[in-house]
Amino acid sequence: MSSSSSFSSLSDSSLSGAAPSHPLTPYGWDADRASAFARYDAQGLVPGRVVRVDRGQCDVATPEGVVRADTEFVVPRDPMKVVCTGDWVAVDPEGGDPRYVRTLLPRRSAFVRSTSSKRSEGQVLATNVDHIIICVSLAAELDLGRIERFLALAHASASGDALLHDAGFSAESAAQPLVVLTKADLVPDAVGLSYLVSDVEAAAPGAQVVAVSARDGDGTDVLRAIVAGGTSVLLGQSGAGKSTLANALVGTDVMEVQTVRDMDGKGRHTTTTRNLFVLPGGGVLIDTPGLRGVGLYDAEAGVEQAFAEIAELAERCRFHDCGHQVEPGCAVLAAVDDGSLPQRRLDSYRKLVRENRRLAARTDARLRDEMRKVWKQRGQQGRAAMEAKRGRPMR
């Protein structure tokens, strides 16, 4: 059977409800992928999914097996379009030496963070994912602010990718965030664990929170059921237990594991590349190196979604452009005063909004001017409020 006829049979079987038989189905191949690849199939190219990228080369899962391919022809100036683990690509047919990746298929989602450089560039960590699993170790004190940062980026997983916009995918294509509290066996009692889960749930509205012990197997059945539907990526700091969790889900030791340092409880960078695995119970898993920094990138919509309750309160503010600082009639500040909104939550929201705006302003002169006007206006409002408290009119 030719490759084109096999793609057609995949589409037909998917529509009819029959079990798909394409060799790449375990990697997530479906009728939509077949449709997107049709034009390249006519050129004699072969479909594949990137399982690892390493110094200008990548391993690609194809219908004939995993092959090594060169990325020379897909090295754009835009870092958002660089080949990444999870990408679907078109590669040269068998016989070429070396074989080349010729193009990327449209991405459905992408997890992007800002780089550590001063050039306001984004770094794509994983693509075409359905679940973003934020791993948080219970061996250390919970950092709710860091969890909120991850969630903001996770919610922005669709809006941050240029290829996603080009493909016409909607926000519904964005990956869904999930917070996994690893090393739950280190919490001595069930009540204490339930409190920790509740704290994280309060900081992660709309996201599922699961406590897991890869050592004892507690919670792994719930996680397996979730990741069986689509592609999942593991994200978190070094020492969060990502590699141990990956081994538990894959069912074998595919990732090397090291213990955390006793002196500070921090993990070592065991994983140095992003790797994609097919799970025995269905689904695909991408493991990533530990992240020291998680800078926001084009995450305005993600911040608003991560702090949905603040966005909802803001709709009831007296002024539509309320900054939730000192403005009269501010519903957000009122919620802080009556205790329904924690001050910590508002502080975290303000911090992420400021960071995202600063990053955007680096490349947008008009936005920089608008921000200066807002800062000047808020400064005047703050001084007026202080003078009013002192009973003196503003000069």
Side-chain angles (χ1 to χ4, degrees):
M1 180 184 292
S2 68
S3 59
S4 59
S5 60
S6 66
F7 299 146
S8 298
S9 65
L10 173 63
S11 301
D12 294 341
S13 64
S14 297
L15 293 173
S16 64
S21 57
H22 193 274
L24 290 177
T25 296
Y27 288 89
W29 184 266
D30 56 23
D32 289 338
R33 302 292 182 197
S35 177
F37 184 77
R39 58 185 292 192
Y40 305 109
D41 176 46
Q43 300 172 21
L45 298 177
V46 176
R49 191 166 195 189
V50 178
V51 298
R52 178 186 171 118
V53 179
D54 184 24
R55 298 181 181 179
Q57 301 280 323
C58 63
D59 293 334
V60 183
T62 70
E64 66 199 63
V66 176
V67 303
R68 191 72 167 167
D70 196 294
T71 63
E72 179 180 349
F73 294 107
V74 283
V75 184
R77 292 185 177 182
D78 184 353
M80 296 288 288
K81 297 183 180 180
V82 172
V83 175
C84 183
T85 300
D87 272 329
W88 287 94
V89 298
V91 300
D92 288 334
E94 187 177 5
D97 186 21
R99 296 172 71 168
Y100 291 94
V101 174
R102 296 294 175 173
T103 190
L104 276 65
L105 299 189
R107 293 167 173 167
R108 290 179 180 170
S109 62
F111 186 91
V112 185
R113 69 166 179 175
S114 67
T115 62
S116 57
S117 70
K118 297 181 180 180
R119 295 177 293 179
S120 304
E121 292 180 348
Q123 178 189 21
V124 183
L125 298 182
T127 65
N128 298 308
V129 294
D130 301 290
H131 307 287
I132 294 177
I133 302 176
I134 302 166
C135 297
V136 180
S137 172
L138 291 178
E141 185 177 354
L142 284 178
D143 185 343
L144 298 179
R146 177 171 286 270
I147 294 174
E148 289 163 341
R149 177 180 292 272
F150 268 106
L151 287 168
L153 284 172
H155 285 303
S157 60
S159 60
D161 184 23
L163 285 184
L164 190 69
H165 287 299
D166 294 342
F169 289 113
S170 67
E172 295 178 355
S173 302
Q176 298 301 310
L178 167 71
V179 181
V180 172
L181 304 180
T182 64
K183 307 181 184 181
D185 53 284
L186 297 180
V187 181
D189 63 284
V191 174
L193 181 60
S194 68
Y195 283 142
L196 292 172
V197 172
S198 296
D199 288 344
V200 176
E201 287 176 338
Q208 187 172 357
V209 180
V210 180
V212 172
S213 170
R215 176 186 296 177
D216 300 338
D218 294 340
T220 55
D221 54 340
V222 176
L223 192 55
R224 285 194 184 95
I226 295 172
V227 301
T231 298
S232 304
V233 59
L234 298 176
L235 297 168
Q237 292 181 286
S238 297
K242 298 186 303 299
S243 295
T244 302
L245 193 57
N247 290 340
L249 294 173
V250 176
T252 184
D253 290 341
V254 293
M255 301 302 299
E256 182 184 356
V257 177
Q258 295 185 22
T259 58
V260 297
R261 297 195 298 255
D262 292 334
M263 67 181 70
D264 56 11
K266 293 183 179 180
R268 301 177 176 90
H269 283 287
T270 303
T271 305
T272 57
T273 60
R274 287 159 246 161
N275 302 278
L276 183 148
F277 306 100
V278 174
L279 299 175
V284 175
L285 184 70
I286 299 175
D287 190 22
T288 63
L291 301 175
R292 286 195 177 95
V294 192
L296 298 186
Y297 185 85
D298 193 17
E300 180 179 357
V303 172
E304 293 300 314
Q305 194 167 350
F307 295 86
E309 80 278 30
I310 294 180
E312 183 179 351
L313 286 168
E315 294 179 357
R316 302 202 294 268
C317 290
R318 180 183 301 177
F319 304 108
H320 74 278
D321 59 347
C322 183
H324 321 309
Q325 299 287 340
V326 295
E327 297 87 346
C330 176
V332 174
L333 295 178
V336 172
D337 290 340
D338 66 25
S340 59
L341 176 66
Q343 181 67 51
R344 186 210 65 80
R345 185 91 169 136
L346 178 57
D347 291 342
S348 182
Y349 169 78
R350 287 170 172 166
K351 179 180 180 180
L352 295 182
V353 167
R354 287 196 303 268
E355 179 181 332
N356 193 67
R357 287 178 178 172
R358 281 198 302 270
L359 181 66
R362 290 181 185 176
T363 56
D364 190 332
R366 181 181 59 82
L367 181 58
R368 285 198 298 271
D369 290 339
E370 291 179 354
M371 288 177 64
R372 290 191 188 100
K373 292 178 182 178
V374 170
W375 291 334
K376 184 177 180 180
Q377 181 183 24
R378 288 180 181 169
Q380 292 174 341
Q381 291 173 340
R383 288 193 296 273
M386 290 300 297
E387 293 294 340
K389 286 183 178 180
R390 295 168 182 167
R392 295 193 302 230
M394 185 73 176
R395 293 181 179 180

